[in-house]
Amino acid sequence: MPAKRSIVSLTPDERQTLEELTKKGKAAAAKINHARILLKADVNHPDGGWLDQDISKALNISTRTIERVRQRFVEESLDKALTRHPRQSSPRRRLDGEAEAHLVVLTCSSAPSGYSRWTLRLLADQMVVLGYVESISHESVRQVLKKTSLSLG
C-alpha cells in the first residue's frame, strides 16, 4: 500500500470547529461528511489517524473522495476542504450572435459552384475564409444549425 501523501494534522481549534459542525448537523451533507473525514484522519487525536479504507467503510464514502479531502486540506485550507470543488463551467460558445447570423445567411445562400448544396464542412470552411471566425469545426456548425432549426436538405 502506498504511503499517504496528505497527512491531516488538525489544531485544537480546527478540531473543535469540525466537531461542532458535525454535531449541529445544520450544514450541507457533503460539508458534514468532509468534516467527519478530517476528524477521522487527524493524526493528532487518539481516535484519529484512520486509514482511508477504514474511513471509507465507516462513513460509506469512496476512498477517492477521502484522498481529495485530505489533499485539499493540506494544500489549500480547512474551508476549501469542507466545500465541494466547483464544477467546470460549460465550454465557451464558438460563435457569438453576430457570427451565428452570418452562418444562417450563408446557409440560406446558394451553394458554391461545383456543389449542389451546402455541407457542414463547406459551411465551416467558408466561415473561416470569410473571416467570421478563426477556426470552427463542422460539429459546431451542426449544433448552431440545429439550435436555429435550420437544415441543409
Side-chain angles (χ1 to χ4, degrees), residues 144-151:
V144 169
L145 294 179
K146 181 178 180 182
K147 184 180 84 173
T148 57
S149 302
L150 287 174
S151 65

Side-chain angles (χ1 to χ4, degrees), residues 25-69:
K26 294 282 185 181
K31 188 172 188 174
I32 292 171
N33 281 336
H34 289 194
R36 287 181 177 142
I37 289 169
L38 292 172
L39 287 170
K40 298 239 182 261
D42 181 20
V43 295
N44 292 338
H45 196 269
D47 295 338
W50 289 27
L51 297 175
D52 289 354
Q53 292 80 4
D54 297 334
I55 298 171
S56 175
K57 288 176 187 170
L59 301 178
N60 196 24
I61 298 173
S62 73
T63 54
R64 184 64 189 118
T65 299
I66 295 165
E67 291 168 3
R68 279 195 301 267
V69 170

Side-chain angles (χ1 to χ4, degrees), residues 122-133:
L122 275 175
L123 287 168
D125 292 343
Q126 193 64 25
M127 290 289 287
V128 173
V129 168
L130 294 174
Y132 298 131
V133 291

